[in-house]
Amino acid sequence: MVDAGVLGARIASSVVAPLVKKLFVKDQPGAGLVIKPVRISALVSFGREKRDVTPKDAQKVAEELVRRALKAAPPGERPVEADEVAAVTYALAHSLAALGDITIEDYEAVALGPGVFARTLRLRTPDEVVFGLTRDGELFYERLLHTASLHILNFFTQRSTYIARQQTVQSQQLARLVQAVDVLLERLPSQSAEDVGFEERYADHISGRYGTLTIYGLDAGTREWPLDTAYLSLEATREQNGHSNGRSGLHEPAERVLDRQDQVLLRGVAGSGKTTLVQWLAVTTAGRTYDHGLTHLVGRVPFVLPMRRIVRPGAEFPLPGDFLKAVGCPVAGEQPPGWVERVLRARRGVLLVDGIDEIAADRRPAARRWLRELARTFPGNLWLVTSRPSAVPEKWLDAEGFAELTLSPMTRDDVATFVRRWHRAAGADENVGASLLQSVRTTSELNRLATNPLMCGMLCALHRDRRGFLPQDRRSLYEAALTMLLERRDRERELDHPDGLLVPYATQVQLLQKLAWWLIRNSRAEMDRSEALHIIGQALPAVGLAGTAEEVYRSLLLRSGLLREPAEGRVDFLHRTFQDYLGARLAVQELDFDLLVNNAEKDEWEDVILLALAHARPQEAEQMLRRLVAQDTSRGKLLAAAGLRYVAEVDPSVRTSVEDGVAELVPPHWSGAARELAQAGGDLVLALLPGPEDLHPAVAMMVAETAVQLGSEASLHFLTRFREHPDARVQMLLAQSWQYFDRELYTHAILAHLPAQHRVTVRGSEDLRTLRSIGGWEDIHVHGAYRVEDLTELVVRERLTTLALEAPHPVEGLTWLSAFPNLTCVLVRTRVTADVARQVPDGVRLDALAPERSNPWNPPSAP
């Protein structure tokens, strides 16, 4: 095949320019400075202010660009396979449609250049749209987007308002330049040539030393990434009204935590990204480029101070002049005398103190005094101190003027971005990454694990190493994760045990098992600290570990990455899935099979039972399976069927008994059975449901209904298998069910792919905007009160053919319906007068909306 990255550039300008021009409104005279600045979104013909065409026209432009590029290919050579052309077109259309949301002005876009502008459009394109493309497909898409961006920017420069505006723009740019120079002059006092030269060499060292990210404790995949590729912007939560997380907290990007306050104590669990943030701030500060928008870093000098390296047993905390020597900086010997002190006196320092938790507890009071003295002696510098949550008490540095923030867990989009970047950096097949992302979103235990970069990296590496079979072997997944968290990570980071207590891996696991099984048996989510100390104290003689219960507890709390103290005197597991795994291990060791089976009807015991089956010996597992089926409950039969995947060996008669039991339930053959199945099994049932292939249409309808009843993200991904189902009832069910899921996810995963557009119910302007993002909808039912302005502005006018209006107030008038040229039918619930009826445009039928009836599939209540 021809090089996909080159072919996109072979489209003639005479072809691209007219296509690009269709995306924008006609030029207007004047400089465009009278009322307000001209934004790109205001120029786009399908933006919020102008609507001469619809986002569907972006699809047409994308189709033509792809067609022309393919036509330019040499005979017999194609940049992508035929079955990927539609996916490339779909991705390109989304990127072009993003023009309607860009608020920068056209002259700013031209200054970016086509490469950066194309990346700007790419960042506004949902990851799932591009993620499934092959490497050739993505190169083809990126080249086409770059080609389109080049002609878009050229179009801006040819507008009559562009040239007229440049004089004003240049004066504004000059003002910003003067301001930047003022900042540098303020932060860069008169320096000797020796200081200037050393700072340049030191900055180069920082960029090289911290410009890569290492992931510790992984058996597979890449170990080092370029930092600019690996860094993922996470959120930090600021405490508000006594709460540090949840809705009560104030959220901000973690890299901007030093923007509003000079001194910050940042807490985060193991692997949450604290050290990566420290590296990013160091490299960004040392980079001497100022296009990152972080003006508070301009002209400053970073000092990275990992506590595990600068605090040695019996040694004093370093003075500023010894910072570079303490961290083993190779240019420390070239440091001009008094240079660090001069930097700090000029208030130019960015002091990044990483890992208070990684020094012994008896040294932390001295560390606090050291920080206090430095901050008081050299005021005005920026300080970031990081720690695991339980290493130091709340408000530990409050008296020193430090604000406390906490790194938040990764969001769904963060996980998708991380997985994509990991596989690119590792040179891995991106289809493997797409498979993992699908597993994370559809498997509850993986979803609960993927909350921070460390765990996401572990999942990526293990999934790749096992060739995509990670979800089928949960026991191996948890064992690998425990090895990484409890043993390998600290060892590979060359971290000495800060409290002087070495707890062997097997002993850590045994003690954590006891804590986990106690919580499960007592139906508790957390325990008192005194209870944890009692359990550990009772176990110490048997495990032969020197040290007190308090010392062992502190070691488990700080180093394992599994325990945390959510509140003073309270203890729980950071990941419930590890609690279930460890508890199940001990349950099997203690032969507590009766307790496991007797709790089968409780949802919170589901994973414990399945993981116990994974740990049990064959005869023990067979006995559990027999007893689960013998309970003669839907829950017991479903658990037994799901448990077969966890058992390495099982007697054929037992397998037959389990399979016969679940065959009575799956697939369901009537609506009530579908509801009962969903209620009994939860997401557990998804692995047992058959796909749409070879199913009778009525059975396919019931299977899809079961997934709808669950209303989870995992069931949403299961429903994607039914998007192309030919039965009209299945299609209608899918169209009517979006209100029971995340609207945006469901719209792009299901609605955008349906071959026929059955009626969709909207309940507000956000629903209308979501439908607009996929080019609109043909048959819309507006439920509840509505604003005419929302309908005329947010409904894609050319797409609408049928409109049903259901409002608690009478419809005052219908003249606004003329805004929809292809409308053929209007249904209204309330009685309308003859005068109002005459306002309906010619060719549009006005009917009464039938009284609402229960759907035959009885959808669940909206969350």
Side-chain angles (χ1 to χ4, degrees):
M1 293 195 302
V2 69
D3 186 350
V6 174
L7 186 57
R10 294 184 179 176
I11 314 175
S13 297
S14 59
V15 173
V16 182
L19 288 172
V20 165
K21 194 173 182 180
K22 291 181 179 180
L23 298 173
F24 300 97
V25 296
K26 293 181 179 180
D27 195 6
Q28 300 295 330
L33 295 171
V34 178
I35 300 177
K36 57 183 177 180
V38 178
R39 297 171 289 114
I40 292 178
S41 59
L43 299 173
V44 177
S45 54
F46 51 82
R48 296 191 180 105
E49 299 177 14
K50 304 287 185 181
R51 295 183 184 82
D52 295 343
V53 294
T54 70
K56 194 65 177 178
D57 291 272
Q59 176 78 16
K60 295 178 182 177
V61 171
E63 289 172 353
E64 184 63 16
L65 282 171
V66 172
R67 189 184 72 81
R68 292 281 185 164
L70 294 175
K71 187 177 179 181
E77 297 183 5
R78 296 175 63 89
V80 293
E81 299 293 345
D83 58 1
E84 197 174 16
V85 171
V88 172
T89 304
Y90 183 68
L92 183 60
H94 269 75
S95 296
L96 294 177
L99 286 165
D101 296 322
I102 294 182
T103 57
I104 64 173
E105 298 183 34
D106 54 4
Y107 69 84
E108 295 175 307
V110 173
L112 293 176
V116 176
F117 187 70
R119 287 196 294 273
T120 301
L121 293 175
R122 169 63 186 87
L123 290 173
R124 293 175 178 270
T125 306
D127 273 337
E128 56 265 25
V129 171
V130 183
F131 198 94
L133 296 178
T134 64
R135 183 59 178 163
D136 283 339
E138 188 167 357
L139 284 173
F140 189 38
Y141 152 77
E142 289 177 349
R143 176 50 58 187
L144 287 171
L145 184 58
H146 185 278
T147 300
S149 297
L150 176 63
H151 288 275
I152 288 170
L153 299 187
N154 185 56
F155 168 77
F156 291 161
T157 64
Q158 295 172 348
R159 298 180 64 245
S160 63
T161 60
Y162 181 86
I163 298 175
R165 192 161 49 239
Q166 289 315 292
Q167 294 178 346
T168 301
V169 171
Q170 288 169 0
S171 65
Q172 293 171 343
Q173 290 175 335
L174 182 60
R176 287 195 293 269
L177 179 59
V178 170
Q179 182 183 17
V181 171
D182 288 341
V183 171
L184 285 172
L185 289 175
E186 180 183 351
R187 292 181 183 164
L188 293 176
S190 178
Q191 292 180 292
S192 67
E194 186 180 18
D195 278 7
V196 172
F198 177 74
E199 281 192 21
E200 290 180 355
R201 295 191 296 276
Y202 175 66
D204 290 340
H205 160 72
I206 290 292
S207 298
R209 169 65 179 82
Y210 298 106
T212 58
L213 174 66
T214 303
I215 295 184
Y216 297 96
L218 301 182
D219 294 321
T222 184
R223 295 179 63 83
E224 290 191 349
W225 304 353
L227 184 63
D228 56 357
T229 300
Y231 181 70
L232 183 68
S233 177
L234 300 177
E235 280 193 339
T237 305
R238 184 190 310 275
E239 184 174 336
Q240 185 183 28
N241 298 329
H243 300 281
S244 61
N245 48 40
R247 294 186 178 179
S248 58
L250 298 175
H251 300 270
E252 60 183 304
E255 62 270 17
R256 302 195 73 95
V257 295
L258 294 175
D259 192 4
R260 298 189 183 187
Q261 58 278 315
D262 291 348
Q263 300 174 170
V264 171
L265 171 61
L266 183 68
R267 299 175 187 266
V269 299
S272 59
K274 302 184 296 297
T275 299
T276 304
L277 174 62
V278 164
Q279 290 186 218
W280 190 89
L281 287 171
V283 170
T284 302
T285 304
R288 302 189 295 278
T289 59
Y290 310 119
D291 56 356
H292 45 61
L294 304 176
T295 56
H296 58 288
L297 300 180
V298 171
R300 294 188 183 268
V301 178
F303 298 96
V304 182
L305 303 171
M307 295 300 285
R308 65 179 179 273
R309 297 189 64 186
I310 68 173
V311 180
R312 297 298 181 185
E316 296 293 328
F317 287 80
L319 295 173
D322 297 324
F323 281 172
L324 272 58
K325 181 180 178 181
V327 298
C329 178
V331 299
E334 304 175 33
Q335 175 182 319
W339 169 72
V340 177
E341 289 82 357
R342 287 193 291 277
V343 169
L344 299 182
R345 287 292 180 198
R347 304 188 175 199
R348 297 175 53 221
V350 180
L351 296 107
L352 305 167
V353 182
D354 189 29
I356 290 293
D357 57 282
E358 296 179 351
I359 60 175
D362 59 0
R363 301 298 307 273
R364 290 171 198 158
R368 181 168 55 183
R369 291 192 296 271
W370 173 69
L371 291 170
R372 180 175 62 240
E373 290 303 316
L374 286 176
R376 289 178 178 177
T377 305
F378 301 101
N381 294 285
L382 302 182
W383 288 84
L384 179 71
V385 180
T386 73
S387 174
R388 293 191 184 184
S390 300
V392 293
E394 290 187 15
K395 301 182 179 181
W396 187 64
L397 290 174
D398 191 57
E400 287 71 31
F402 280 72
E404 288 199 9
L405 290 88
T406 302
L407 276 177
S408 302
M410 294 170 70
T411 65
R412 180 182 185 276
D413 290 339
D414 291 336
V415 173
T417 301
F418 185 98
V419 171
R420 180 182 178 84
R421 290 179 180 176
W422 191 97
H423 285 82
R424 273 192 172 179
D429 184 349
E430 293 194 11
N431 289 328
V432 176
S435 171
L436 172 61
L437 194 56
Q438 178 82 355
S439 297
V440 169
R441 291 176 174 173
T442 58
T443 310
S444 57
E445 65 271 11
L446 296 181
N447 187 271
R448 291 195 295 268
L449 280 178
T451 56
N452 62 55
L454 177 66
M455 298 305 296
C456 282
M458 181 206 69
L459 292 177
C460 288
L462 293 176
H463 181 264
R464 181 192 181 202
D465 188 45
R466 288 157 176 76
R467 301 181 183 275
F469 291 100
L470 180 61
Q472 281 72 34
D473 189 3
R474 291 174 64 186
R475 178 176 174 176
S476 296
L477 167 65
Y478 294 136
E479 287 177 350
L482 287 174
T483 301
M484 179 186 66
L485 291 172
L486 301 183
E487 182 179 33
R488 294 188 53 189
R489 189 163 183 258
D490 280 354
R491 185 180 70 230
E492 293 182 12
R493 294 164 74 201
E494 300 178 355
L495 177 64
D496 294 329
H497 295 274
D499 294 307
L501 181 66
L502 174 61
V503 183
Y505 170 76
T507 304
Q508 291 184 69
V509 171
Q510 191 67 20
L511 294 174
L512 290 168
Q513 285 180 175
K514 291 182 179 295
L515 297 175
W517 188 223
W518 187 92
L519 287 169
I520 293 169
R521 284 189 291 109
N522 290 278
S523 300
R524 296 267 293 275
E526 60 183 26
M527 63 175 65
D528 292 336
R529 190 171 182 276
S530 60
E531 293 168 331
L533 291 173
H534 177 72
I535 294 170
I536 292 172
Q538 283 190 319
L540 285 182
V543 299
L545 188 64
T548 66
E550 175 69 32
E551 291 172 334
V552 174
Y553 167 76
R554 295 298 298 175
S555 179
L556 292 175
L557 182 68
L558 294 180
R559 308 293 352 137
S560 73
L562 294 179
L563 294 179
R564 66 173 182 175
E565 289 183 345
E568 185 70 26
R570 309 293 292 169
V571 188
D572 69 358
F573 277 80
L574 183 64
H575 297 281
R576 173 61 189 258
T577 186
F578 279 119
Q579 175 184 308
D580 292 343
Y581 171 80
L582 291 164
R585 279 182 56 143
L586 190 60
V588 172
Q589 290 179 16
E590 300 287 344
L591 304 179
D592 283 332
F593 299 110
D594 287 348
L595 187 58
L596 290 166
V597 174
N598 292 339
N599 283 280
E601 293 299 314
K602 297 178 181 178
D603 291 340
E604 61 269 24
W605 283 71
E606 177 183 302
D607 278 348
V608 183
I609 292 171
L610 294 176
L611 290 166
L613 284 166
H615 284 290
R617 292 176 287 273
Q619 290 184 344
E620 296 167 341
E622 289 171 2
Q623 184 62 27
M624 283 185 67
L625 292 174
R626 288 193 185 96
R627 291 192 56 188
L628 288 170
V629 174
Q631 288 180 343
D632 200 26
T633 64
S634 297
R635 179 74 174 177
K637 294 174 181 177
L638 291 171
L639 270 175
L644 280 178
R645 295 184 296 131
Y646 292 81
V647 179
E649 179 183 346
V650 63
D651 185 270
S653 63
V654 175
R655 182 180 299 276
T656 300
S657 174
V658 172
E659 291 174 347
D660 290 345
V662 78
E664 301 172 3
L665 305 172
V666 180
H669 291 275
W670 59 289
S671 191
R675 290 196 301 275
E676 292 175 5
L677 183 61
Q679 292 170 359
D683 281 349
L684 176 73
V685 77
L686 290 175
L688 306 175
L689 290 173
E693 300 81 8
D694 302 323
L695 288 180
H696 185 278
V699 177
M701 172 75 171
M702 293 301 104
V703 170
E705 179 185 337
T706 304
V708 168
Q709 293 283 340
L710 296 172
S712 64
E713 186 171 346
S715 65
L716 167 58
H717 283 275
F718 176 83
L719 287 171
T720 60
R721 295 154 60 180
F722 290 78
R723 295 181 305 201
E724 305 297 329
H725 198 281
D727 188 73
R729 291 173 298 175
V730 174
Q731 293 287 312
M732 187 179 299
L733 170 65
L734 295 178
Q736 293 173 343
S737 300
W738 81 317
Q739 58 192 297
Y740 309 114
F741 296 86
D742 180 283
R743 298 285 205 281
E744 187 171 353
L745 291 179
Y746 193 89
T747 298
H748 289 91
I750 304 292
L751 295 185
H753 301 272
L754 296 181
Q757 294 200 351
H758 295 279
R759 182 165 300 169
V760 164
T761 299
V762 300
R763 286 175 165 79
S765 58
E766 286 305 313
D767 287 355
L768 293 173
R769 288 190 181 93
T770 304
L771 288 179
R772 185 178 181 84
S773 70
I774 59 170
W777 202 256
E778 295 175 4
D779 191 341
I780 296 178
H781 175 196
V782 180
H783 184 88
Y786 60 87
R787 296 173 66 248
V788 170
E789 293 81 358
D790 286 343
L791 297 181
T792 55
E793 291 179 10
L794 299 176
V795 174
V796 177
R797 300 179 182 183
E798 293 78 5
R799 198 69 181 273
L800 187 68
T801 60
T802 302
L803 179 64
L805 302 171
E806 181 173 1
H809 57 79
V811 177
E812 299 295 339
L814 297 175
T815 55
W816 52 274
L817 292 175
S818 60
F820 304 100
N822 297 319
L823 187 65
T824 59
C825 180
V826 176
L827 306 170
V828 296
R829 174 81 68 199
T830 55
R831 182 184 298 276
V832 299
T833 65
D835 290 340
V836 170
R838 283 193 289 271
Q839 297 173 3
V840 177
D842 294 338
V844 178
R845 188 176 77 254
L846 178 64
D847 283 339
L849 184 63
E852 189 171 1
R853 304 183 285 116
S854 296
N855 288 311
W857 48 276
N858 289 322
S861 300

